Amino acid sequence: MTLRLGAALTALATVGALTTATSTSAYATAPSTPTAATARATAARPAVVEKMVIGHSVRHRPILAYHLGQQGPGIPTVVIVSTMHGNERQIQQIPKALRDGRRIRGVDLWVVPVMNPDGLAADTRQDARGVDLNRNFPTHWVHTTGHYGSGPRAASEPETRAMMSFLLKVRPDRLISFHQPLHGVDLDSRRPSFSRKVSRALHLPVSHVKCGGVCGGTMTQWFEAHLPGSAITVEYGAHPASHTLRVQAPKALLRLFGGHR
Ligand SMILES: [Zn+2]
């Protein structure tokens, strides 16, 4: 048993080292070699190829990304982000269900279940400085205050900067930003067919998701301005069924991107 565990850890360390060499060199906070803790975490979660700290929140909480699936020719790279608004806590069940299940093949998938760990801890939409992270990205950024406050300047928040450097490094073909509670899939003006596919897969209507306050500085706006992939916002309702988030949506997303367990 000890030998088998040792072999498994060595294999994981090898996978981690290869992945680190190709995808994590830009992260100052990422370990250059997998730690024993990372190896244990991935051993307990067979779908996880790599666990990465992509940055830290205002209150120094780590922001974690999990690399799932497999890379290869013709295999799409997809990033799923949730709980950018800390009071949208149920939605993190979708990326966590993808992370915690069996091994994934056919899609190169990254999930960031909690982009705003301080907001999650405090049950606030904003980060610990009262900034709405989805108004803080440096595309169409305008200075606003209040509930949808955009921060003192573009990309002022460490959570925003962590996500930017992560996305610039991974360069996904598709980015899905999960939110609550508006119940709809935002229409992607660049690739409306993508919105319709996601809408059908998740049984949510396509709609122009209403932006509170000024609709500038969002993550999807920034992504589409700087990277060739497409990004959409998907909103579930205020109280989605647990089965929907833990079973139906993860399965449908895998199928949509050609993946399987
Ligand atoms: Zn939100």
PDB file of all heavy atoms in Angstrom, residues 84-85 88 125 134 178-180 235, ligand 1:
ATOM      1  N   MET A  84     -17.761  35.351  -8.196  1.00  0.00           N
ATOM      2  CA  MET A  84     -17.051  36.626  -8.319  1.00  0.00           C
ATOM      3  C   MET A  84     -17.736  37.634  -7.398  1.00  0.00           C
ATOM      4  O   MET A  84     -17.114  38.570  -6.910  1.00  0.00           O
ATOM      5  CB  MET A  84     -17.134  37.101  -9.769  1.00  0.00           C
ATOM      6  CG  MET A  84     -16.445  38.408 -10.026  1.00  0.00           C
ATOM      7  SD  MET A  84     -16.915  39.118 -11.618  1.00  0.00           S
ATOM      8  CE  MET A  84     -16.275  37.936 -12.770  1.00  0.00           C
ATOM      9  N   HIS A  85     -19.033  37.421  -7.202  1.00  0.00           N
ATOM     10  CA  HIS A  85     -19.802  38.175  -6.211  1.00  0.00           C
ATOM     11  C   HIS A  85     -20.021  37.241  -5.018  1.00  0.00           C
ATOM     12  O   HIS A  85     -20.619  36.174  -5.162  1.00  0.00           O
ATOM     13  CB  HIS A  85     -21.137  38.636  -6.810  1.00  0.00           C
ATOM     14  CG  HIS A  85     -20.943  39.603  -7.945  1.00  0.00           C
ATOM     15  ND1 HIS A  85     -21.582  39.485  -9.156  1.00  0.00           N
ATOM     16  CD2 HIS A  85     -20.126  40.686  -8.031  1.00  0.00           C
ATOM     17  CE1 HIS A  85     -21.177  40.492  -9.941  1.00  0.00           C
ATOM     18  NE2 HIS A  85     -20.303  41.224  -9.277  1.00  0.00           N
ATOM     19  N   GLU A  88     -23.149  35.306  -4.040  1.00  0.00           N
ATOM     20  CA  GLU A  88     -23.710  34.325  -4.970  1.00  0.00           C
ATOM     21  C   GLU A  88     -23.015  33.002  -4.687  1.00  0.00           C
ATOM     22  O   GLU A  88     -22.143  32.542  -5.420  1.00  0.00           O
ATOM     23  CB  GLU A  88     -23.492  34.809  -6.409  1.00  0.00           C
ATOM     24  CG  GLU A  88     -24.208  36.128  -6.675  1.00  0.00           C
ATOM     25  CD  GLU A  88     -23.765  36.834  -7.954  1.00  0.00           C
ATOM     26  OE1 GLU A  88     -23.043  36.223  -8.760  1.00  0.00           O
ATOM     27  OE2 GLU A  88     -24.138  38.000  -8.116  1.00  0.00           O
ATOM     28  N   ARG A 125     -21.577  41.094  -1.974  1.00  0.00           N
ATOM     29  CA  ARG A 125     -21.327  41.080  -3.420  1.00  0.00           C
ATOM     30  C   ARG A 125     -19.884  41.526  -3.707  1.00  0.00           C
ATOM     31  O   ARG A 125     -19.178  40.933  -4.518  1.00  0.00           O
ATOM     32  CB  ARG A 125     -22.308  42.058  -4.094  1.00  0.00           C
ATOM     33  CG  ARG A 125     -22.076  42.255  -5.582  1.00  0.00           C
ATOM     34  CD  ARG A 125     -23.059  43.301  -6.151  1.00  0.00           C
ATOM     35  NE  ARG A 125     -22.785  43.553  -7.550  1.00  0.00           N
ATOM     36  CZ  ARG A 125     -23.340  42.862  -8.562  1.00  0.00           C
ATOM     37  NH1 ARG A 125     -24.174  41.877  -8.316  1.00  0.00           N
ATOM     38  NH2 ARG A 125     -23.062  43.159  -9.812  1.00  0.00           N
ATOM     39  N   ASN A 134     -16.790  42.844 -10.835  1.00  0.00           N
ATOM     40  CA  ASN A 134     -17.254  42.809 -12.225  1.00  0.00           C
ATOM     41  C   ASN A 134     -17.512  44.207 -12.787  1.00  0.00           C
ATOM     42  O   ASN A 134     -18.214  44.362 -13.780  1.00  0.00           O
ATOM     43  CB  ASN A 134     -18.516  41.948 -12.356  1.00  0.00           C
ATOM     44  CG  ASN A 134     -18.558  41.218 -13.693  1.00  0.00           C
ATOM     45  OD1 ASN A 134     -17.522  41.008 -14.328  1.00  0.00           O
ATOM     46  ND2 ASN A 134     -19.754  40.838 -14.127  1.00  0.00           N
ATOM     47  N   PHE A 178     -20.150  32.344 -14.121  1.00  0.00           N
ATOM     48  CA  PHE A 178     -21.437  31.979 -13.525  1.00  0.00           C
ATOM     49  C   PHE A 178     -21.822  32.936 -12.401  1.00  0.00           C
ATOM     50  O   PHE A 178     -21.002  33.246 -11.524  1.00  0.00           O
ATOM     51  CB  PHE A 178     -21.382  30.559 -12.960  1.00  0.00           C
ATOM     52  CG  PHE A 178     -21.634  29.499 -13.990  1.00  0.00           C
ATOM     53  CD1 PHE A 178     -20.612  28.694 -14.441  1.00  0.00           C
ATOM     54  CD2 PHE A 178     -22.918  29.313 -14.501  1.00  0.00           C
ATOM     55  CE1 PHE A 178     -20.850  27.707 -15.395  1.00  0.00           C
ATOM     56  CE2 PHE A 178     -23.172  28.325 -15.456  1.00  0.00           C
ATOM     57  CZ  PHE A 178     -22.128  27.525 -15.902  1.00  0.00           C
ATOM     58  N   HIS A 179     -23.083  33.369 -12.440  1.00  0.00           N
ATOM     59  CA  HIS A 179     -23.620  34.292 -11.432  1.00  0.00           C
ATOM     60  C   HIS A 179     -25.030  33.865 -11.022  1.00  0.00           C
ATOM     61  O   HIS A 179     -25.584  32.914 -11.550  1.00  0.00           O
ATOM     62  CB  HIS A 179     -23.704  35.717 -12.010  1.00  0.00           C
ATOM     63  CG  HIS A 179     -22.378  36.346 -12.279  1.00  0.00           C
ATOM     64  ND1 HIS A 179     -21.818  37.291 -11.458  1.00  0.00           N
ATOM     65  CD2 HIS A 179     -21.491  36.152 -13.299  1.00  0.00           C
ATOM     66  CE1 HIS A 179     -20.645  37.664 -11.955  1.00  0.00           C
ATOM     67  NE2 HIS A 179     -20.417  36.985 -13.072  1.00  0.00           N
ATOM     68  N   GLN A 180     -25.583  34.611 -10.094  1.00  0.00           N
ATOM     69  CA  GLN A 180     -26.980  34.538  -9.673  1.00  0.00           C
ATOM     70  C   GLN A 180     -27.428  35.996  -9.451  1.00  0.00           C
ATOM     71  O   GLN A 180     -26.576  36.849  -9.149  1.00  0.00           O
ATOM     72  CB  GLN A 180     -27.085  33.788  -8.335  1.00  0.00           C
ATOM     73  CG  GLN A 180     -26.752  32.303  -8.394  1.00  0.00           C
ATOM     74  CD  GLN A 180     -26.788  31.678  -7.005  1.00  0.00           C
ATOM     75  OE1 GLN A 180     -25.756  31.507  -6.373  1.00  0.00           O
ATOM     76  NE2 GLN A 180     -27.989  31.364  -6.531  1.00  0.00           N
ATOM     77  N   GLU A 235     -26.387  33.344 -15.738  1.00  0.00           N
ATOM     78  CA  GLU A 235     -27.019  33.621 -14.447  1.00  0.00           C
ATOM     79  C   GLU A 235     -28.051  32.541 -14.125  1.00  0.00           C
ATOM     80  O   GLU A 235     -28.963  32.294 -14.920  1.00  0.00           O
ATOM     81  CB  GLU A 235     -27.747  34.975 -14.497  1.00  0.00           C
ATOM     82  CG  GLU A 235     -26.842  36.160 -14.686  1.00  0.00           C
ATOM     83  CD  GLU A 235     -26.619  36.947 -13.385  1.00  0.00           C
ATOM     84  OE1 GLU A 235     -27.186  36.546 -12.331  1.00  0.00           O
ATOM     85  OE2 GLU A 235     -25.876  37.943 -13.441  1.00  0.00           O
TER      86      GLU A 235
HETATM   87 ZN    ZN B   1     -22.910  38.228  -9.938  1.00  0.00          ZN
END
